Amino acid sequence: MAYFDAPKLSFLFDLELVVEKAHLPGTTPIGTRRIIRVEGGHFGGGEVIGNVVPGGDDWITVREDGTIIQDVRILLKTDDEELIMMSYRGIRTGEKDVLARLDRGEDVNVEEYYFRTNPVFETASEKYDWMNKRIFISTGQRLPTGVKYSVYQVD
């Protein structure tokens, strides 16, 4: 029995990141590591629009079964010149053959794998202060040159 209605989602923006080729430090006690630098990107489609400042990173841990755990930090610059820090942890998983195709940079249908993140925003901007006080989730898609997310606010 549910005590409350399920949360609703409202669209925030689409985000596309362009990334460098992965640096491969190897397998550590935590798992196989990949470090991927973010070269840039853009976001929009909702009320918050702008570009990704080059220089963020995605510190990935690859589990034995191929599941990827993300730890990402990037900087967004809105079209009205405000800076918003964005960090998120995420998970991308699926059947081994699907994950192998993604690793080879192939175009894979998003319905063949699970890719979700939980973005957290931090800003000194008065205009975007509301983003400091909300929960967000996103759906992801791996592209040959980067990743694409659709970000939603949990209402």
Side-chain angles (χ1 to χ4, degrees):
M1 176 176 170
Y3 292 98
F4 302 100
D5 291 334
K8 304 212 182 329
L9 303 177
S10 57
F11 178 73
L12 180 65
F13 57 64
D14 286 325
L15 167 68
E16 191 164 331
L17 301 178
V18 178
V19 299
E20 292 179 359
K21 185 177 175 184
H23 299 277
L24 306 171
T27 301
T28 72
I30 295 173
T32 302
R33 303 293 284 190
R34 297 180 189 165
I35 311 299
I36 300 175
R37 177 155 300 267
V38 176
E39 293 181 340
H42 59 275
F43 58 96
E47 294 179 27
V48 185
I49 300 166
N51 292 297
V52 178
V53 177
D57 290 306
D58 185 353
W59 288 53
I60 291 173
T61 303
V62 184
R63 294 179 179 165
E64 247 181 69
D65 68 355
T67 296
I68 287 177
I69 305 299
Q70 296 178 285
D71 183 1
V72 180
R73 284 168 177 68
I74 59 175
L75 182 61
L76 308 178
K77 186 174 187 179
T78 64
D79 281 356
D80 52 0
E81 303 294 316
E82 299 288 349
L83 294 175
I84 303 170
M85 294 170 277
M86 178 181 180
S87 62
Y88 56 92
R89 290 191 49 87
I91 188 167
R92 187 180 82 203
T93 193
E95 299 295 324
K96 283 192 180 268
D97 64 312
V98 173
L99 297 177
R101 290 170 36 220
L102 287 167
D103 283 346
R104 289 193 298 268
E106 295 179 20
D107 189 18
V108 179
N109 186 318
V110 294
E111 294 181 11
E112 294 185 63
Y113 57 98
Y114 180 89
F115 190 3
R116 303 289 186 271
T117 73
N118 59 328
V120 175
F121 297 98
E122 181 181 351
T123 183
S125 166
E126 289 184 25
K127 179 176 181 180
Y128 298 105
D129 179 61
W130 59 271
M131 295 175 72
N132 292 317
K133 304 169 186 172
R134 297 292 184 267
I135 299 288
F136 300 89
I137 62 168
S138 77
T139 58
Q141 178 183 7
R142 180 69 171 100
L143 305 170
T145 59
V147 291
K148 181 178 179 180
Y149 299 100
S150 291
V151 182
Y152 300 87
Q153 177 180 307
V154 179
D155 297 324

